[in-house]
Short mmCIF file of all heavy atoms in Angstrom, two decimals:
data_model
loop_
_atom_site.label_atom_id
_atom_site.label_comp_id
_atom_site.label_asym_id
_atom_site.label_seq_id
_atom_site.Cartn_x
_atom_site.Cartn_y
_atom_site.Cartn_z
N HIS A 155 -17.49 10.42 -10.52
CA HIS A 155 -17.64 10.39 -11.98
C HIS A 155 -17.60 11.80 -12.56
O HIS A 155 -16.97 12.04 -13.60
CB HIS A 155 -18.96 9.70 -12.34
CG HIS A 155 -19.11 9.42 -13.81
ND1 HIS A 155 -19.70 10.33 -14.68
CD2 HIS A 155 -18.75 8.36 -14.57
CE1 HIS A 155 -19.68 9.83 -15.90
NE2 HIS A 155 -19.11 8.65 -15.87
N PHE A 156 -18.23 12.74 -11.88
CA PHE A 156 -18.19 14.13 -12.33
C PHE A 156 -16.78 14.69 -12.24
O PHE A 156 -16.30 15.38 -13.16
CB PHE A 156 -19.14 14.98 -11.48
CG PHE A 156 -19.10 16.44 -11.79
CD1 PHE A 156 -19.82 16.96 -12.86
CD2 PHE A 156 -18.33 17.31 -11.02
CE1 PHE A 156 -19.77 18.32 -13.16
CE2 PHE A 156 -18.28 18.66 -11.31
CZ PHE A 156 -19.00 19.16 -12.39
N ALA A 157 -16.08 14.39 -11.12
CA ALA A 157 -14.73 14.91 -10.95
C ALA A 157 -13.77 14.39 -12.01
O ALA A 157 -12.90 15.11 -12.49
CB ALA A 157 -14.21 14.56 -9.55
N VAL A 158 -13.92 13.13 -12.39
CA VAL A 158 -13.01 12.52 -13.36
C VAL A 158 -13.32 12.97 -14.79
O VAL A 158 -12.42 13.15 -15.61
CB VAL A 158 -13.05 10.98 -13.24
CG1 VAL A 158 -12.28 10.32 -14.37
CG2 VAL A 158 -12.49 10.54 -11.90
N THR A 159 -14.58 13.17 -15.10
CA THR A 159 -14.97 13.45 -16.49
C THR A 159 -15.18 14.93 -16.80
O THR A 159 -15.10 15.32 -17.96
CB THR A 159 -16.27 12.70 -16.83
OG1 THR A 159 -17.31 13.11 -15.92
CG2 THR A 159 -16.07 11.20 -16.72
N LYS A 160 -15.41 15.77 -15.78
CA LYS A 160 -15.80 17.15 -16.05
C LYS A 160 -14.84 18.20 -15.51
O LYS A 160 -15.02 19.38 -15.80
CB LYS A 160 -17.19 17.42 -15.47
CG LYS A 160 -18.29 16.51 -16.01
CD LYS A 160 -18.51 16.67 -17.50
CE LYS A 160 -19.65 15.79 -17.99
NZ LYS A 160 -19.86 15.92 -19.46
N THR A 161 -13.86 17.83 -14.71
CA THR A 161 -12.96 18.82 -14.12
C THR A 161 -11.59 18.76 -14.78
O THR A 161 -11.24 17.78 -15.44
CB THR A 161 -12.82 18.59 -12.61
OG1 THR A 161 -12.19 17.32 -12.38
CG2 THR A 161 -14.17 18.60 -11.92
N ARG A 162 -10.80 19.80 -14.57
CA ARG A 162 -9.45 19.85 -15.16
C ARG A 162 -8.54 18.81 -14.54
O ARG A 162 -7.74 18.18 -15.24
CB ARG A 162 -8.86 21.25 -14.95
CG ARG A 162 -9.59 22.35 -15.70
CD ARG A 162 -8.89 23.68 -15.54
NE ARG A 162 -7.56 23.66 -16.12
CZ ARG A 162 -6.72 24.69 -16.07
NH1 ARG A 162 -7.07 25.81 -15.45
NH2 ARG A 162 -5.53 24.60 -16.61
N MET A 163 -8.67 18.61 -13.22
CA MET A 163 -7.84 17.57 -12.59
C MET A 163 -8.24 16.20 -13.08
O MET A 163 -7.39 15.32 -13.29
CB MET A 163 -7.98 17.66 -11.07
CG MET A 163 -7.10 16.66 -10.32
SD MET A 163 -5.33 16.84 -10.67
CE MET A 163 -4.96 18.34 -9.75
N GLY A 164 -9.53 15.98 -13.29
CA GLY A 164 -9.97 14.70 -13.83
C GLY A 164 -9.45 14.48 -15.23
O GLY A 164 -9.06 13.35 -15.60
N MET A 165 -9.41 15.55 -16.03
CA MET A 165 -8.84 15.43 -17.37
C MET A 165 -7.34 15.10 -17.30
O MET A 165 -6.83 14.30 -18.09
CB MET A 165 -9.05 16.74 -18.14
CG MET A 165 -8.60 16.70 -19.59
SD MET A 165 -8.85 18.29 -20.42
CE MET A 165 -10.64 18.46 -20.29
N ALA A 166 -6.66 15.70 -16.32
CA ALA A 166 -5.23 15.40 -16.16
C ALA A 166 -5.04 13.95 -15.72
O ALA A 166 -4.09 13.27 -16.16
CB ALA A 166 -4.63 16.35 -15.12
N MET A 167 -5.92 13.44 -14.86
CA MET A 167 -5.82 12.03 -14.44
C MET A 167 -6.01 11.10 -15.63
O MET A 167 -5.29 10.11 -15.78
CB MET A 167 -6.88 11.75 -13.37
CG MET A 167 -6.63 12.45 -12.05
SD MET A 167 -8.05 12.43 -10.94
CE MET A 167 -8.23 10.68 -10.65
N ARG A 168 -6.95 11.41 -16.50
CA ARG A 168 -7.16 10.57 -17.68
C ARG A 168 -5.97 10.70 -18.64
O ARG A 168 -5.62 9.72 -19.32
CB ARG A 168 -8.46 10.96 -18.37
CG ARG A 168 -9.70 10.50 -17.59
CD ARG A 168 -10.99 10.82 -18.30
NE ARG A 168 -11.32 12.23 -18.19
CZ ARG A 168 -11.67 13.00 -19.21
NH1 ARG A 168 -11.70 12.51 -20.43
NH2 ARG A 168 -11.98 14.27 -19.02
N ALA A 169 -5.35 11.86 -18.67
CA ALA A 169 -4.18 12.04 -19.53
C ALA A 169 -3.00 11.21 -19.01
O ALA A 169 -2.24 10.64 -19.79
CB ALA A 169 -3.79 13.51 -19.59
N VAL A 170 -2.84 11.13 -17.69
CA VAL A 170 -1.77 10.31 -17.11
C VAL A 170 -1.96 8.85 -17.49
O VAL A 170 -1.01 8.14 -17.84
CB VAL A 170 -1.74 10.48 -15.58
CG1 VAL A 170 -0.75 9.50 -14.96
CG2 VAL A 170 -1.34 11.89 -15.21
N SER A 171 -3.20 8.38 -17.41
CA SER A 171 -3.46 6.98 -17.75
C SER A 171 -3.19 6.71 -19.23
O SER A 171 -2.85 5.58 -19.61
CB SER A 171 -4.91 6.62 -17.42
OG SER A 171 -5.82 7.34 -18.24
N TRP A 172 -3.30 7.74 -20.08
CA TRP A 172 -3.08 7.56 -21.51
C TRP A 172 -1.59 7.56 -21.85
O TRP A 172 -1.10 6.68 -22.55
CB TRP A 172 -3.82 8.63 -22.29
CG TRP A 172 -3.68 8.49 -23.77
CD1 TRP A 172 -2.89 9.22 -24.60
CD2 TRP A 172 -4.34 7.54 -24.61
NE1 TRP A 172 -3.01 8.82 -25.89
CE2 TRP A 172 -3.91 7.77 -25.93
CE3 TRP A 172 -5.26 6.53 -24.37
CZ2 TRP A 172 -4.35 7.01 -27.00
CZ3 TRP A 172 -5.71 5.78 -25.44
CH2 TRP A 172 -5.25 6.02 -26.73
N ASP A 173 -0.87 8.56 -21.34
CA ASP A 173 0.57 8.65 -21.64
C ASP A 173 1.21 9.57 -20.61
O ASP A 173 1.25 10.79 -20.78
CB ASP A 173 0.79 9.19 -23.06
CG ASP A 173 2.25 9.05 -23.50
OD1 ASP A 173 3.10 8.80 -22.64
OD2 ASP A 173 2.51 9.19 -24.71
N LYS A 174 1.72 8.98 -19.53
CA LYS A 174 2.27 9.80 -18.45
C LYS A 174 3.62 10.41 -18.82
O LYS A 174 4.05 11.38 -18.19
CB LYS A 174 2.40 8.97 -17.17
CG LYS A 174 3.44 7.87 -17.23
CD LYS A 174 3.52 7.16 -15.89
CE LYS A 174 4.59 6.06 -15.90
NZ LYS A 174 4.68 5.38 -14.59
N PHE A 175 4.29 9.86 -19.82
CA PHE A 175 5.60 10.40 -20.20
C PHE A 175 5.46 11.70 -21.00
O PHE A 175 6.34 12.56 -20.95
CB PHE A 175 6.38 9.37 -21.01
CG PHE A 175 6.66 8.11 -20.25
CD1 PHE A 175 5.96 6.95 -20.52
CD2 PHE A 175 7.62 8.09 -19.26
CE1 PHE A 175 6.21 5.78 -19.82
CE2 PHE A 175 7.89 6.93 -18.55
CZ PHE A 175 7.18 5.78 -18.82
N ALA A 176 4.37 11.86 -21.73
CA ALA A 176 4.17 13.08 -22.50
C ALA A 176 3.54 14.19 -21.68
O ALA A 176 3.50 15.34 -22.11
CB ALA A 176 3.28 12.79 -23.72
N LEU A 177 3.05 13.85 -20.48
CA LEU A 177 2.32 14.82 -19.68
C LEU A 177 3.16 16.03 -19.26
O LEU A 177 2.71 17.18 -19.40
CB LEU A 177 1.74 14.12 -18.44
CG LEU A 177 0.45 14.71 -17.88
CD1 LEU A 177 -0.68 14.56 -18.87
CD2 LEU A 177 0.09 14.06 -16.56
N PRO A 178 4.42 15.83 -18.77
CA PRO A 178 5.21 17.01 -18.40
C PRO A 178 5.49 17.94 -19.58
O PRO A 178 5.66 19.15 -19.39
CB PRO A 178 6.51 16.40 -17.86
CG PRO A 178 6.13 15.01 -17.43
CD PRO A 178 5.09 14.58 -18.41
N LEU A 179 5.53 17.39 -20.79
CA LEU A 179 5.77 18.24 -21.97
C LEU A 179 4.59 19.16 -22.25
O LEU A 179 4.75 20.16 -22.93
CB LEU A 179 6.01 17.34 -23.19
CG LEU A 179 7.19 16.36 -23.08
CD1 LEU A 179 7.26 15.50 -24.33
CD2 LEU A 179 8.49 17.12 -22.85
N MET A 180 3.43 18.81 -21.70
CA MET A 180 2.24 19.63 -21.88
C MET A 180 2.02 20.59 -20.72
O MET A 180 1.00 21.28 -20.65
CB MET A 180 1.01 18.73 -22.03
CG MET A 180 1.13 17.73 -23.18
SD MET A 180 -0.15 16.48 -23.17
CE MET A 180 -1.61 17.48 -23.41
N GLY A 181 2.96 20.62 -19.76
CA GLY A 181 2.87 21.55 -18.64
C GLY A 181 1.99 21.07 -17.50
O GLY A 181 1.61 21.86 -16.64
N ILE A 182 1.68 19.79 -17.46
CA ILE A 182 0.84 19.24 -16.40
C ILE A 182 1.74 18.60 -15.35
O ILE A 182 2.55 17.73 -15.69
CB ILE A 182 -0.16 18.20 -16.96
CG1 ILE A 182 -1.06 18.85 -18.00
CG2 ILE A 182 -0.99 17.59 -15.84
CD1 ILE A 182 -2.01 17.89 -18.68
N PRO A 183 1.64 19.02 -14.07
CA PRO A 183 2.52 18.45 -13.03
C PRO A 183 2.11 17.02 -12.71
O PRO A 183 1.07 16.76 -12.11
CB PRO A 183 2.30 19.38 -11.84
CG PRO A 183 0.95 19.98 -12.07
CD PRO A 183 0.75 20.07 -13.56
N LEU A 184 2.96 16.07 -13.10
CA LEU A 184 2.63 14.66 -12.93
C LEU A 184 2.50 14.28 -11.46
O LEU A 184 1.55 13.58 -11.07
CB LEU A 184 3.71 13.80 -13.60
CG LEU A 184 3.56 12.29 -13.48
CD1 LEU A 184 2.26 11.83 -14.11
CD2 LEU A 184 4.75 11.59 -14.13
N ASP A 185 3.44 14.75 -10.62
CA ASP A 185 3.41 14.36 -9.20
C ASP A 185 2.14 14.86 -8.52
O ASP A 185 1.57 14.17 -7.67
CB ASP A 185 4.64 14.92 -8.48
CG ASP A 185 5.91 14.18 -8.88
OD1 ASP A 185 5.80 13.05 -9.41
OD2 ASP A 185 7.00 14.73 -8.67
N ARG A 186 1.70 16.06 -8.90
CA ARG A 186 0.49 16.60 -8.28
C ARG A 186 -0.74 15.77 -8.63
O ARG A 186 -1.60 15.52 -7.79
CB ARG A 186 0.27 18.05 -8.73
CG ARG A 186 -0.85 18.76 -8.00
CD ARG A 186 -1.03 20.17 -8.53
NE ARG A 186 0.21 20.93 -8.39
CZ ARG A 186 0.35 22.17 -8.85
NH1 ARG A 186 -0.63 22.76 -9.50
NH2 ARG A 186 1.50 22.80 -8.68
N VAL A 187 -0.79 15.30 -9.85
CA VAL A 187 -1.92 14.46 -10.27
C VAL A 187 -1.91 13.13 -9.53
O VAL A 187 -2.94 12.63 -9.07
CB VAL A 187 -1.88 14.23 -11.80
CG1 VAL A 187 -3.00 13.29 -12.23
CG2 VAL A 187 -1.99 15.55 -12.54
#
C-alpha cells in the first residue's frame, strides 16, 4: 500500500491504470512500469 500510494513508481502504476496511452507523452516508460 505504501509502495503504490507514496512512491514514484506507485504513482506511475496508478497513472497507467488511468490512461496508459498518455503515459509516454509524459516521459514515463510504460514497459518499465
Side-chain angles (χ1 to χ4, degrees):
H155 189 270
F156 176 82
V158 171
T159 59
K160 302 297 183 181
T161 64
R162 294 184 63 183
M163 183 58 74
M165 185 181 299
M167 292 166 63
R168 287 183 284 131
V170 173
S171 66
W172 182 257
D173 191 345
K174 68 178 182 179
F175 298 105
L177 209 65
L179 302 177
M180 303 169 64
I182 300 176
L184 178 61
D185 288 341
R186 187 182 302 176
V187 177

